[in-house]
Amino acid sequence: MSMCTTASRELTEPLAGTAPRATAWLLIEQSGPWGPRALTESHFHPELGRDLLQLTKGTGVEIALIRRPGRHADCPPSKAHTVFLAHTAPGGSWVREAHLDDPHALRDLDFAAVGAGEHGDFGTAYEGDPLALVCTNGRRDRCCALLGRPLAAELAASGHAQVWEVTHLGGHRFSPTMLVLPYGYTYGRLSPHTAKEVLEATHSGTVVAEWCRGRSFWERPSQAAELAVRQDFGVEAVDALTVVQQPVADGEVADAWTVRITHVDGRAWDALVHRVASEPARPESCLKSPTNPDRFDVVSLTPVR
């Protein structure tokens, strides 16, 4: 096992509150090898990649390249690109699918609207199996290739039709990591068995809190608070909880938030979440020196009704 994942496991670093932040995802198929910055360092059009990064800046839309599991020879890519556009709001998640010969058409998307939950009739509604997106880009971090690619291959071989390799989900030290859509929950430290459990749960509209890093729709303090409720009170239904996050008033506690978590059945909890530096230092990536990454600790969780 590679260094950054070994250190993270040995230090029992929490998964909760580590999911990438995105209200929406734009996933573009691009075969062949990927560089560390895949949108501009692959067979994808580099100028288009730069344009899309600029167009999505500040909109809540995260862009990644995807490809099917397997060998990825450096040969001329196919012309067609499968594209998924997804929004992850609780109670309002959706996925749209399109097949584009010319991905430059993506420049015409209203990314501010997409980030706010409006797809503008892009493509057609996707209604298949949950999308399983496993981070495998070894040029960013070798853990993702060594641990992610075998997992993606195993899931595809087991018959799950919608398994894709993806360029980046953050949190290399939690590899293998997987994003599931339409709901936007990210999972880490998966095995083939637990990944299949996650996909079965997603298909039935539930969350496996034990391996979950958080829902990308929420800020990281809210991710940690939501998962604390799921773990402590056995809440599994994917859209059962909503959160409202507020910073603690100045002068009280630095780097702290109160989070109100509300269940659709009327129950609610208040969480106090602190941001602290992880100790001791550990590598966030196999390519980086050890640091003290932020962690978000739920220091209290109180039922309010």
Side-chain angles (χ1 to χ4, degrees):
M1 187 175 295
S2 299
M3 181 178 63
C4 72
T5 53
T6 301
S8 181
R9 286 176 184 267
E10 289 178 348
L11 293 168
T12 61
E13 187 174 3
L15 290 169
T18 69
R21 176 74 174 95
T23 60
W25 293 84
L26 174 62
L27 305 166
I28 308 166
E29 182 182 13
Q30 180 59 65
S31 59
W34 296 330
R37 297 173 179 82
L39 272 175
T40 56
E41 298 174 345
S42 68
H43 287 308
F44 193 69
H45 310 274
E47 76 290 342
L48 176 58
R50 286 188 287 270
D51 287 350
L52 291 176
L53 288 171
Q54 186 61 36
L55 288 168
T56 55
K57 189 174 182 179
T59 65
V61 180
E62 183 73 16
I63 311 174
L65 299 184
I66 58 174
R67 63 191 178 194
R68 288 297 193 176
R71 292 184 176 273
H72 305 291
D74 192 358
C75 56
S78 61
K79 187 177 181 181
H81 300 262
T82 297
V83 177
F84 295 105
L85 187 66
H87 197 261
T88 61
S93 299
W94 47 257
V95 178
R96 308 286 292 186
E97 180 180 12
H99 301 276
L100 303 178
D101 287 338
D102 184 2
H104 287 80
L106 295 171
R107 283 196 182 108
D108 297 330
L109 283 170
D110 183 342
F111 288 108
V114 171
E118 300 295 330
H119 53 67
D121 292 328
F122 175 83
T124 58
Y126 172 79
E127 297 177 349
D129 287 340
L131 298 178
L133 301 140
V134 181
C135 190
T136 64
N137 190 355
R139 294 293 300 278
R140 287 192 74 106
D141 188 88
R142 66 178 180 265
C143 286
C144 295
L146 292 174
L147 302 176
R149 293 192 66 191
L151 177 64
E154 169 69 19
L155 293 177
S158 70
H160 189 80
Q162 288 296 339
V163 180
W164 297 83
E165 297 185 3
V166 66
T167 50
H168 187 51
L169 295 178
H172 309 296
R173 64 196 185 279
F174 305 121
S175 296
T177 64
M178 181 172 72
L179 169 70
V180 290
L181 293 172
Y183 305 118
Y185 281 97
T186 304
Y187 292 85
R189 298 190 186 126
L190 293 171
S191 67
H193 173 75
T194 56
K196 291 172 187 177
E197 180 185 350
V198 165
L199 292 179
E200 290 173 4
T202 304
H203 186 75
S204 64
T206 59
V207 178
V208 182
E210 182 178 3
W211 309 107
C212 195
R213 298 173 58 195
R215 189 170 192 158
S216 68
F217 190 81
W218 305 124
E219 300 285 351
R220 291 179 65 188
S222 291
Q223 294 174 15
E226 186 214 15
L227 288 173
V229 170
R230 290 189 180 279
Q231 291 169 334
D232 290 0
F233 295 92
V235 179
E236 295 183 340
V238 68
D239 284 335
L241 301 175
T242 56
V243 302
V244 176
Q245 175 181 311
Q246 296 288 340
V248 171
D250 290 343
E252 294 183 30
V253 181
D255 291 327
W257 295 263
T258 57
V259 182
R260 171 68 58 90
I261 309 101
T262 303
H263 196 291
V264 291
D265 65 9
R267 287 180 293 165
W269 301 262
D270 280 340
L272 177 61
V273 182
H274 286 185
R275 176 169 54 199
V276 298
S278 298
E279 295 286 353
R282 78 287 314 274
E284 294 186 67
S285 167
C286 291
L287 301 177
K288 294 181 179 180
S289 299
T291 60
N292 302 93
D294 288 341
R295 57 184 282 176
F296 293 84
D297 291 344
V298 179
V299 298
S300 66
L301 183 61
T302 307
V304 293
R305 62 175 182 269

